[in-house]
Amino acid sequence: MAFLTRTRSLARRSWPWLRIPFWIGMGLLVGFVLPYMLVLNKRVQERFNDLVFAVPTRVYARPLPLAAGVPMTPAALELELTFAGYRRGDRGDLPGSWVKQGSRYTIASRGYAGPAGGELPKRIEVTLGKGEVRSVTDVASDKAMAIAHLDPARIATLYGASQVERRIVHLADVPPLLVSGLQAVEDRDFKHNIGIDFSAIARAAFANLRAGRTVQGASTLTQQLVRNLFLTRERSFTRKINEALMSVLIELHYSKGRILEAYINEVFLGQQGDQAVHGFAAASEFYFGRRLEALRPQEIAMLVGLVKGPSYYDPRRYPERALARRNLVLQEFETTGLLTGAQANAAQAAPLDVIKNGQLPHNRFPAFMQLVREQITSDFDDETLRGGHLSVFTTLDPAAQLYTEQAISTTVKALGKRGEAVQAAAVVTSAQTGNVLAVVGDKRPGAQGFNRALDARRQIGSTIKPFIYLVALTQPERWNLATLLDDGPISLRQPNGTVWNPQNDDNQSHGMVPMVDALAKSWNLATIHLGMALGLPRIKSFLQSFGLTGVNPSPSLLLGALDLSPLQVTHLYQYLAADGHALPLVAVSGVLDGNGRTIKRYQVQPGDGEYQSAVRLTTWALQQVAVYGTAHSIGNSGLAWLHAAGKTGTSNDLRDSWFAGYTGEHLAVFWMGRDDNKPAGLFGATGALRAWRELFAKLPTHPLSSAHGGGLEMAWINPASGRRTDPQCAGAQQVPVVAGSLSADVDGCAWETVQGLFGVGQPSTNGAPGAPAAPAAPVAPTAPPNPADPYRN
């Protein structure tokens, strides 16, 4: 009682002196501190809730299908595995690893959930041979598998406005050693402190005073989380006060488990360029190429050790520092009883074993990603895509994409100084489905900016010609591939009174030529005569059926006076590659929500094919382009086995170089030219075709059948009459025709034999392979002229 009496007496005597400071303090508390705490509290709750629940939109390539008969080479398979973050191991037993023994690959898949279902993790054995998968076996059961899929590579992550790599994990899915080890190294009293550890502050202050420098920190895990979420690295008293206040507020609002989960997902653990690595799950894939749950003790220790300084202890740049730090962490694990002495010693003896080139799934393929965004913006707005917990599965084929980029780089480099001003673009699709497998919009891989594959509109030159011939072949009673076309000179008066005299590329006319040769050799004059006979309005209507606009029905259209993007040209040729099925080009297969449920599937339901007989005749003719026509370098190279169909294209003054070609599995369209539209000095065969050949020298694919398709028959034709003839007759040419379109009557050549005995021969022809003996009447133009400059092949 005496103590209380003395205290009250002291307070009464001191109050006159303390009254003013007291009320000032109360005023500051009520007028500033409490409102400031309320502001901090609102900020803490909003940001913390965003962190815990906001899962970035993840964009994936297509799962890699592996089944007997699927085209595959060792180089392509290893490229796919590397790009998907798989690492080569000793046994291929850890998820995300593989090992090679001769032609056999043992792969431990990681499993995935996708719009078509997905697969569980498993070990499979894949045997390759002769450019394809020979067998796929489930290692556990030793049974053959009809098909297996490897989990797809992540190609982009959208999180807010910045590129941040983060893979959200729940605390229950984190290895216990990581949870306990992190607390043992960074905050041993985490479960009991209030966000600030006063005893740790005292210990650190004493240690630092004794050493004369900073040797020990006192930050709790909660304080470190606050620094990552809210504060800069500035060292100031104000920042320290804010850090302490926010830490206490977080501890008041959230459980220790949620705080720890947030820390594990948020902590900064590395950097690649301008993209940061946040969280242990992302760091696990970045440094080791495996998911968090598959890490070994020494790898967990290295990640925990990185918390102290990701740049200073970077295992790729400073392996000795990283090794020392990792072993120190392992020693802490042993001290705290998390590992036995034997386990710690074994882990310390292990190498760092960090993958050489950790690739973050940043926006590596901007041209392809632009197409992805365009195709899903009708269903998802930009805000939803950036923070909507979504997983977007695309059709991208990593091998096709990377090989296409390499093909362009190699071709441009081979041009030497001339290639400095040349740009390029390409689109690769699945021939049968229309799935877009690769898009390149710049000669520099991964370059941001103008996407020439989608946005450049360039004159397509002779790449338009197959569609003119296709229109003719839809009338088999009038036209077939042996029908003679006039490749003679033509003069057309223009509206301004001048006369247009188009020429062939070789400045020669070739007389009467079979249709197949006219297309294979890309002769302009024969094409103009044919197009005028068909009627320009009909050709315009056919092109417009593909959604093209601005088609000017003038004679110059017949030589490619039409500005299209590489994607639009691909859409045209997809019709041919898909055997007469008009397919949309699709870059997205489906979208999953945050719970793994499919909320949108993008499936193409092809209808009945149109004009399939005419399409198959056109394809057969385009195969001759690669045998003896303007793309004969394919037939003369090691790619002859592909039996590819394709067409070169060159615009006036060599401004644009095009090649569109397809095999049994892939369609690829390449463009090369200059952005300023000046002459690039490249024909279709000397620019774009070279890039196409570079691609298919590496890309596993099925050949296109060399046999004519269904509904057709091979026939010997007398081009002069368009009737069947005997093979031994002069000028007879064997071509596929629509079954039943020709009379069974045969033009014999007995009279020709008699004439030969008396030295009487047929009129001379132009000497083209398989040229006919006698000409037919030339085709006359039937549409008013409105020509432009001639276009090269």
Side-chain angles (χ1 to χ4, degrees):
M1 292 295 294
F3 174 75
L4 293 176
T5 301
R6 288 195 298 271
T7 301
R8 284 196 295 268
S9 175
L10 178 62
R12 282 194 297 269
R13 290 195 302 270
S14 302
W15 177 246
W17 302 97
L18 297 176
R19 181 176 55 192
I20 294 177
F22 174 79
W23 289 115
I24 291 176
M26 289 297 294
L28 287 174
L29 177 64
V30 175
F32 177 74
V33 176
L34 288 180
Y36 185 65
M37 287 289 288
L38 290 174
V39 171
L40 284 184
N41 185 61
K42 185 174 185 295
R43 183 182 174 195
V44 163
Q45 286 188 286
E46 288 179 351
R47 181 70 180 93
F48 193 86
N49 288 337
D50 284 346
L51 171 73
V52 174
F53 296 112
V55 181
T57 290
R58 295 156 294 187
V59 185
Y60 295 92
R62 59 92 181 94
L64 175 64
L66 294 170
V70 169
M72 186 60 65
T73 63
L77 178 57
E78 291 177 21
L79 178 64
E80 291 266 7
L81 290 168
T82 300
F83 191 80
Y86 280 70
R87 58 180 299 175
R88 193 167 187 169
D90 297 328
R91 294 178 297 174
D93 54 347
L94 292 172
S97 66
W98 60 276
V99 65
K100 179 182 180 182
Q101 294 176 313
S103 61
R104 295 197 311 273
Y105 289 79
T106 301
I107 304 170
S109 71
R110 295 177 294 218
Y112 71 98
E119 293 189 11
L120 295 172
K122 60 173 66 73
R123 291 183 70 209
I124 60 174
E125 184 177 274
V126 180
T127 304
L128 305 182
K130 295 184 178 180
E132 66 179 21
V133 176
R134 306 306 293 269
S135 66
V136 180
T137 305
D138 186 327
V139 173
S141 64
D142 197 30
K143 292 182 179 180
M145 301 178 66
I147 189 168
H149 292 85
L150 299 187
D151 50 297
R154 187 145 38 124
I155 60 174
T157 301
L158 305 177
Y159 191 93
S162 60
Q163 286 289 329
V164 177
E165 173 50 12
R166 179 187 281 109
R167 181 184 284 274
I168 304 298
V169 291
H170 296 295
L171 193 61
D173 300 323
V174 179
L177 180 60
L178 174 58
V179 176
S180 301
L182 181 63
Q183 295 174 67
V185 174
E186 292 295 325
D187 187 358
R188 290 191 184 182
D189 199 35
F190 170 73
K191 293 181 179 179
H192 307 291
N193 61 48
I194 61 169
I196 304 172
D197 191 340
F198 295 103
S199 60
I201 293 174
R203 287 195 303 270
F206 179 74
N208 295 337
L209 284 172
R210 187 173 58 181
R213 57 189 176 88
T214 302
V215 295
Q216 185 174 331
S219 295
T220 63
L221 288 177
T222 309
Q223 287 175 282
Q224 293 179 37
L225 178 60
V226 166
R227 283 200 294 269
N228 272 297
L229 290 177
F230 305 102
L231 305 176
T232 66
R233 294 292 175 179
E234 174 193 5
R235 293 179 178 273
S236 66
F237 180 75
T238 302
R239 190 193 71 100
K240 282 289 186 184
I241 293 296
N242 283 333
E243 179 184 300
L245 291 174
M246 288 180 169
S247 298
V248 172
L249 288 171
I250 285 178
E251 292 279 348
L252 287 173
H253 285 295
Y254 303 103
S255 67
K256 290 290 186 179
R258 287 190 66 185
I259 294 171
L260 190 58
E261 183 176 273
Y263 183 95
I264 286 172
N265 285 308
E266 172 60 25
V267 62
F268 172 68
L269 291 172
Q271 188 89 17
Q272 185 183 63
D274 60 352
Q275 190 171 6
V277 181
H278 283 268
F280 284 95
S284 174
E285 296 185 12
F286 181 55
Y287 291 111
F288 301 110
R290 292 202 304 280
R291 292 181 180 173
L292 197 59
E293 59 268 24
L295 293 186
R296 295 169 289 189
Q298 62 267 28
E299 294 161 345
I300 290 174
M302 197 205 82
L303 295 183
V304 171
L306 282 174
V307 170
K308 186 175 182 180
S311 299
Y312 187 81
Y313 294 109
D314 187 329
R316 295 190 183 99
R317 298 176 60 191
Y318 309 109
E320 293 182 359
R321 293 180 190 170
L323 185 65
R325 175 65 181 165
R326 184 204 69 177
N327 289 345
L328 181 61
V329 171
L330 285 169
Q331 186 177 330
E332 289 291 310
F333 286 2
E334 181 187 359
T335 301
T336 53
L338 299 176
L339 293 178
T340 65
Q343 289 174 325
N345 291 336
Q348 288 177 328
L352 285 176
D353 209 19
V354 173
I355 57 177
K356 292 182 180 179
N357 298 306
Q359 294 297 317
L360 293 176
H362 60 297
N363 189 353
R364 172 65 176 77
F365 307 121
F368 183 86
M369 283 300 299
Q370 179 182 336
L371 183 59
V372 169
R373 286 190 178 94
E374 288 182 2
Q375 293 196 350
I376 61 177
T377 48
S378 60
D379 299 303
F380 306 95
D381 59 29
D382 191 57
E383 182 179 353
T384 301
L385 290 175
R386 288 186 298 174
H389 310 235
L390 305 178
S391 295
V392 178
F393 285 79
T394 74
T395 58
L396 183 124
D397 179 329
Q401 177 72 37
L402 295 171
Y403 283 152
T404 303
E405 292 177 353
Q406 293 171 14
I408 287 176
S409 297
T410 300
T411 303
V412 171
K413 184 177 180 180
L415 296 175
K417 194 170 183 179
R418 181 175 47 161
E420 294 177 3
V422 170
Q423 264 295 349
V427 179
V428 182
T429 67
S430 167
Q432 302 305 319
T433 67
N435 287 346
V436 179
L437 308 180
V439 181
V440 179
D442 194 290
K443 67 179 178 181
R444 300 163 299 170
Q448 306 281 341
F450 185 53
N451 185 352
R452 293 160 189 82
L454 274 62
D455 300 328
R457 299 293 190 272
R458 305 295 293 241
Q459 291 191 346
I460 66 172
S462 293
T463 50
I464 199 173
K465 290 178 180 175
F467 303 95
I468 299 166
Y469 287 77
L470 172 61
V471 172
L473 292 169
T474 61
Q475 306 174 65
E477 69 285 354
R478 183 179 181 188
W479 311 95
N480 62 54
L481 291 176
T483 301
L484 287 179
L485 301 180
D486 182 10
D487 193 55
I490 185 172
S491 294
L492 298 172
R493 187 170 298 279
Q494 302 183 93
N496 62 7
T498 61
V499 177
W500 180 45
N501 295 301
Q503 300 291 327
N504 285 323
D505 182 58
D506 58 5
N507 294 316
Q508 302 291 321
S509 60
H510 307 92
M512 304 304 299
V513 297
M515 182 184 288
V516 63
D517 292 347
L519 181 55
K521 302 281 188 171
S522 198
W523 283 324
N524 291 337
L525 300 178
T527 303
I528 294 172
H529 280 294
L530 175 62
M532 300 298 272
L534 291 169
L536 293 170
R538 185 176 182 188
I539 294 171
K540 174 186 176 181
S541 296
F542 180 70
L543 294 174
Q544 286 178 327
S545 70
F546 290 92
L548 301 180
T549 58
V551 180
N552 181 16
S554 68
S556 60
L557 173 66
L558 303 173
L559 299 185
L562 180 64
D563 294 349
L564 298 180
S565 69
L567 186 71
Q568 290 174 307
V569 174
T570 304
H571 190 203
L572 284 174
Y573 274 81
Q574 190 71 48
Y575 180 69
L576 300 178
D579 197 32
H581 291 87
L583 300 175
L585 302 183
V586 176
V588 180
S589 60
V591 180
L592 274 61
D593 65 13
N595 296 317
R597 293 189 297 263
T598 300
I599 57 176
K600 184 70 176 179
R601 288 194 70 178
Y602 297 84
Q603 291 180 297
V604 175
Q605 298 292 340
D608 296 332
E610 298 178 317
Y611 306 119
Q612 283 184 298
S613 294
V615 167
R616 290 166 184 171
L617 290 172
T618 304
T619 289
W620 189 88
L622 291 178
Q623 288 177 301
Q624 313 317 304
V625 174
V627 174
Y628 65 86
T630 56
H632 62 84
S633 60
I634 296 176
N636 294 339
S637 70
L639 300 178
W641 67 276
L642 292 176
H643 305 300
K647 186 69 188 73
T648 54
T650 313
S651 67
N652 192 39
D653 295 329
L654 307 185
R655 286 185 169 88
D656 301 280
S657 170
W658 291 89
F659 185 73
Y662 51 99
T663 66
E665 188 166 3
H666 296 96
L667 162 66
V669 174
F670 283 84
W671 167 85
M672 296 181 70
R674 291 174 56 131
D675 285 340
D676 58 12
N677 205 30
K678 292 181 179 179
L682 297 172
F683 290 93
T686 58
L689 175 56
R690 290 184 179 180
W692 190 95
R693 287 168 49 198
E694 287 285 345
L695 169 62
F696 282 93
K698 295 179 179 178
L699 182 65
T701 190
H702 278 309
L704 187 61
S705 174
S706 58
H708 61 76
L712 307 179
E713 60 176 334
M714 296 300 294
W716 287 94
I717 305 294
N718 177 3
S721 66
R723 291 161 57 90
R724 296 180 186 272
T725 190
D726 294 326
Q728 66 271 20
C729 294
Q733 186 158 6
Q734 189 181 38
V735 295
V737 297
V738 175
S741 64
L742 296 179
S743 169
D745 296 336
V746 176
D747 283 351
C749 48
W751 176 242
E752 293 178 7
T753 304
V754 173
Q755 288 180 314
L757 294 174
F758 292 93
V760 180
Q762 293 291 336
S764 175
T765 68
N766 60 69
V779 176
T782 59
N786 181 21
D789 290 336
Y791 290 78
R792 294 180 181 270
N793 300 324

